[in-house]
Amino acid sequence: MQVFYGLDGSELDLILHSPGGTPTAAESLVDYLRSKFDHIRVFVPHAAMSAATMMCCAADELVMGRHSFLGPIDPQVTLDTPTGVRSVPAKAILQQFEQAKEEIEDDEDNLAQWTPILRQYGPGLLVECKQAINLSQELARDWAQKYMFSGDPDAAAKADEISQTLSDFDLFKSHGRHLNREKARNYGFEVTDLEDDQKLQDLVLSVYHSTTLGHVQTGVAKIIENHNGNAYIQGTDRGGSQGEGNNNLWTPRHQPVPPSGPPQDEPPEGEDPAS
């Protein structure tokens, strides 16, 4: 909301570089983006993984270079295990439970060796895993059908196929698997080559490298900025040039938000947006 304040027009170029996050966060972002812009072109300068890949399904146009990657969207579940906190694929938990059930049914003596593992599965975990998979598939499918394949008579079938493929843990075997643009095309994405426009490629990669440098040399963990220089920057506890501690750093340069209340699409009547 901060960086969209004061922007005109119905089209957005979004440069997206992210390791991902939760599907619900991606859903909030997509809902807000789509409430403001009719056409969104997403550039992936390096990697848009997991939930960021899901956001790419909500693009009218997806632009990738030879060096760009997407990733699987199979959900991960955080478990507190005897060996520490682990992030485990939801599908792997379901498969392991089915394996345990089969082996115990075959021989009840197997229960003893499975008990320490099964104790890690708290109430509702299996249902949560199933619903997490369903949610990831549902969001990717709905966005792809409505946006990426808009106007295509086979939009529903293509969207369903791409959502099923991207969430297939058995296919990718690792949530960190990189999908280059050729694989992305093979799995159903409609991709434009970044190299088709050399000037545009230089501009996009310059933004990416500048942002990456900010992450590497400062205590900044998140940078969201528009072409006018209006930015929201979030720090970490690593400190660095942005200061010590866990900081949320708002850096307005051209169009600050009115001081009262949250960022707004339009300034309250009678107020100067720069006041």
Side-chain angles (χ1 to χ4, degrees), residues 47-178:
M49 305 291 287
S50 191
T53 296
M54 295 169 60
M55 292 182 63
C56 291
C57 293
D60 296 279
E61 183 179 355
L62 177 62
V63 185
M64 298 175 65
R66 294 187 183 92
H67 45 270
S68 304
F69 297 98
L70 304 180
I73 66 170
D74 61 301
Q76 309 296 290
V77 177
T78 301
L79 292 179
D80 189 4
T81 73
T83 58
V85 177
R86 294 187 58 198
S87 182
V88 182
K91 184 65 176 294
I93 293 174
L94 296 175
Q95 289 178 335
Q96 190 173 53
F97 185 81
E98 287 301 316
Q99 180 184 351
K101 187 167 70 172
E102 291 175 5
E103 292 188 9
I104 293 170
E105 287 176 349
D106 291 340
D107 186 349
E108 291 185 358
D109 291 340
N110 291 327
L111 177 61
Q113 66 183 20
W114 276 107
T115 296
I117 297 174
L118 296 176
R119 280 177 177 166
Q120 301 174 48
Y121 298 164
L125 179 61
L126 300 181
V127 175
E128 290 176 4
C129 288
K130 292 178 181 178
Q131 295 291 27
I133 294 171
N134 291 338
L135 177 61
S136 294
Q137 291 176 344
E138 176 185 313
L139 293 176
R141 180 183 65 247
D142 291 351
W143 292 339
Q145 180 177 350
K146 188 174 182 179
Y147 302 114
M148 182 162 53
F149 301 126
S150 177
D152 190 321
D154 297 324
K158 289 182 176 180
D160 185 63
E161 181 178 2
I162 201 171
S163 67
Q164 294 287 338
T165 301
L166 290 173
S167 61
D168 191 344
F169 171 69
D170 293 326
L171 173 65
F172 295 110
K173 300 177 176 62
S174 170
H175 191 63
R177 194 86 174 265
H178 282 186

